[in-house]
Amino acid sequence: MNTITRFVTVVSLASLFPLSALAADSKGTVEVVHWWTSGGEAAAVKVLKDLVAKDGFTWKDGAVAGGAGSAAMTVLKTRVVSGNPPGAAQIKGPDLQEWGALDLLSPLDEVAEANGWDDLLSKTVIDTMQYDGHYVAVPVNIHRVNWLWINPKVFEKAGIDKAPTTLEELYAAGDKLKAAGFVPLAHGGQPWQDSTVFEALVLGIMGADGYHKAFIENDEATLTSPQMTEVFTALKKLASYMDDNRAGRDWNLATAQVIDGKAGMQIMGDWAKSEWTAAGKVAGEDYQCVPMPGTAGSYTYNIDSIAMFKLKNKGDIAAQHALARIALEPEFQYVFNQNKGSIPVRSDLDMSKFDSCAQASMKDFREADQNGQLEPSMAHSMATNLAVQGAIFDVVTNFMSEKNADPSKVGAQLYAAIKSAQ
């Protein structure tokens, strides 16, 4: 039984929606639970909030910081069980299927048909947003996860003349940065950040096929293979370039180390760009974005999406539909993604309005989609459910925390943890 079902299956649907919980402003209110809380993310979500208000509806903010969404999901489950669901929530990937199976999500087919979503979205995005053939969420963006962010001025000071394209070049850059007194690799010691680095290494060392077998198929031979030992060996090496005070550090504070010139690099999805943008920095000049060494041609994606919960108040339902419509309109797609660091989910927008990193991301997304090199991010809830993801997080973070951990033994531990969570 999946984690969401375990949490809410004991609650009857009749108890989920008492009239007291459905009372709302007659103009229509949509309360949105989300975890867009960093400086750049807050600026991005304000765009959506303002457009909803411009349409005559009320946005009630339910932001929950921390844990790459895990804290927000805990709040969401608690609210549903207590009979007080929000009108909308940031829900992603396989979790949409789990919530849909519980018959708690409101179909958005009417909005999708009226606004031509089938013609605007790629098949990958459509399949992710639907449950049982019906739209149950609206996608707002596409993030690339396998990015390496570089401060070129720090590189220059350390005597590094080009961005690394292989792991050996990454190690060499790390050695020069350390010798020059910089933190080579900025990082926050949180499980999801540890696994962001881990999955990038899986993609770079094992390729898209190996990545798919490991995280989508949970194939035993792949998870316990010599290549997986190579991945954990590389992870231990990369950890040696991270500072010792990283435990508990939020991702945006790690990004700030690179922006401020204290660190040379960061392995992080393109939401990191929102912090560079908020700091007034220019892509291609003040910072560089390159595929994680070894992953050029492949693309791990994270699609942010908003799902609507079943409500009875007509005004609130109208507010939900307005939110879903606005989220895919060009005005929002341009401004939101320029602030968020991501790329538009629509296929028809003018990418010349975006910076060089976003243009490269869109180009690589389309090519990877055509070439079978497009893979959902495990670390960001796109590849598996929360139980399996949590099991992987535990193994990876424990490995990174234990200096004497043996890379050759972790693959078997990883497979056992995944099987026990399924």
Side-chain angles (χ1 to χ4, degrees):
M1 184 179 292
N2 62 56
T3 53
I4 294 173
T5 302
R6 289 192 192 105
F7 204 99
V8 304
T9 192
V10 296
V11 183
S12 69
L13 288 177
S15 70
L16 290 178
F17 304 104
L19 292 177
S20 61
L22 298 169
D25 191 309
S26 59
K27 295 179 181 179
T29 297
V30 58
E31 181 181 6
V32 185
V33 171
H34 64 89
W35 58 91
W36 291 313
T37 56
S38 76
E41 290 175 325
V45 80
K46 185 178 183 299
V47 176
L48 184 55
K49 185 188 309 182
D50 290 346
L51 288 172
V52 168
K54 184 179 178 181
D55 233 32
F57 297 96
T58 299
W59 170 294
K60 184 177 179 181
D61 201 57
V64 181
S70 61
M73 287 300 96
T74 298
V75 169
L76 178 61
K77 293 171 190 175
T78 301
R79 291 212 28 199
V80 170
V81 167
S82 67
N84 183 31
Q90 185 182 355
I91 303 175
K92 302 189 303 182
D95 284 350
L96 285 171
Q97 304 304 307
E98 296 187 5
W99 285 107
L102 291 169
D103 196 30
L104 297 174
L105 302 182
S106 179
L108 297 173
D109 295 334
E110 179 182 336
V111 181
E113 184 175 356
N115 294 278
W117 289 8
D118 284 353
D119 296 325
L120 296 175
L121 306 175
S122 73
K123 186 178 184 303
T124 296
V125 176
I126 290 173
D127 290 346
T128 305
M129 294 302 110
Q130 291 188 343
Y131 170 73
D132 196 25
H134 299 281
Y135 282 98
V136 294
V138 55
V140 296
N141 61 1
I142 298 170
H143 281 296
R144 186 180 196 172
V145 181
N146 59 311
W147 278 122
L148 176 70
W149 303 90
I150 294 170
N151 185 321
K153 291 182 180 178
V154 173
F155 263 43
E156 184 179 356
K157 291 177 181 178
I160 306 167
D161 57 9
K162 67 172 185 175
T165 59
T166 67
L167 282 179
E168 291 305 318
E169 290 179 357
L170 180 61
Y171 300 151
D175 291 336
K176 288 185 177 181
L177 288 164
K178 184 180 290 188
F182 298 102
V183 174
L185 190 61
H187 186 70
Q190 297 173 334
W192 72 269
Q193 293 189 62
D194 294 341
S195 284
T196 295
V197 176
F198 168 63
E199 73 170 21
L201 288 171
V202 172
L203 184 67
I205 291 172
M206 305 179 74
D209 288 343
Y211 180 100
H212 192 90
K213 288 179 180 177
F215 296 135
I216 310 301
E217 300 176 17
N218 301 145
D219 176 63
E220 180 179 8
T222 301
L223 290 166
T224 60
S225 67
Q227 276 192 309
M228 188 59 76
T229 297
E230 186 180 344
V231 167
F232 279 104
T233 300
L235 184 60
K236 183 179 285 289
K237 179 75 172 177
L238 287 186
S240 71
Y241 295 118
M242 302 170 184
D243 69 279
D244 293 333
N245 299 319
R246 63 183 183 271
R249 180 186 294 142
D250 288 335
W251 69 268
N252 52 310
L253 298 181
T255 303
Q257 288 185 309
V258 189
I259 295 174
D260 296 340
K262 297 177 181 178
M265 304 177 286
Q266 183 186 22
I267 298 168
M268 186 54 62
D270 55 19
W271 48 91
K273 185 155 63 76
S274 69
E275 298 302 297
W276 288 92
T277 300
K281 305 299 183 180
V282 178
E285 297 179 14
D286 299 309
Y287 63 96
Q288 291 177 287
C289 56
V290 297
M292 172 67 181
T295 71
S298 298
Y299 194 114
T300 43
Y301 64 86
N302 172 21
I303 303 172
D304 283 321
S305 55
I306 301 174
M308 312 299 170
F309 281 82
K310 288 185 175 181
L311 300 177
K312 294 181 180 178
N313 182 281
K314 291 183 179 180
D316 294 348
I317 293 171
Q320 288 178 320
H321 286 189
L323 171 58
R325 172 179 52 78
I326 291 168
L328 270 182
E329 288 181 342
E331 181 179 4
F332 172 73
Q333 284 284 306
Y334 279 123
V335 180
F336 179 82
N337 286 290
Q338 287 165 346
N339 280 281
K340 187 71 164 58
S342 46
I343 59 174
V345 76
R346 291 177 61 126
S347 60
D348 63 338
L349 299 187
D350 180 6
M351 289 304 297
S352 68
K353 296 184 178 182
F354 290 83
D355 61 36
S356 58
C357 288
Q359 291 176 27
S361 182
M362 180 64 83
K363 176 178 177 292
D364 290 351
F365 175 84
R366 290 171 175 168
E367 290 180 357
D369 200 12
Q370 292 177 352
N371 299 331
Q373 303 291 304
L374 189 65
E375 296 293 340
S377 170
M378 174 278 298
H380 298 276
S381 306
M382 298 302 300
T384 189
N385 62 45
L386 292 176
V388 171
Q389 181 196 60
I392 297 172
F393 280 10
D394 287 345
V395 171
V396 172
T397 292
N398 288 340
F399 173 80
M400 291 187 70
S401 301
E402 177 53 63
K403 291 185 178 180
N404 296 320
D406 185 349
S408 67
K409 296 180 180 179
V410 191
Q413 296 170 8
L414 185 62
Y415 176 71
I418 290 172
K419 291 302 290 183
S420 66
Q422 290 176 330

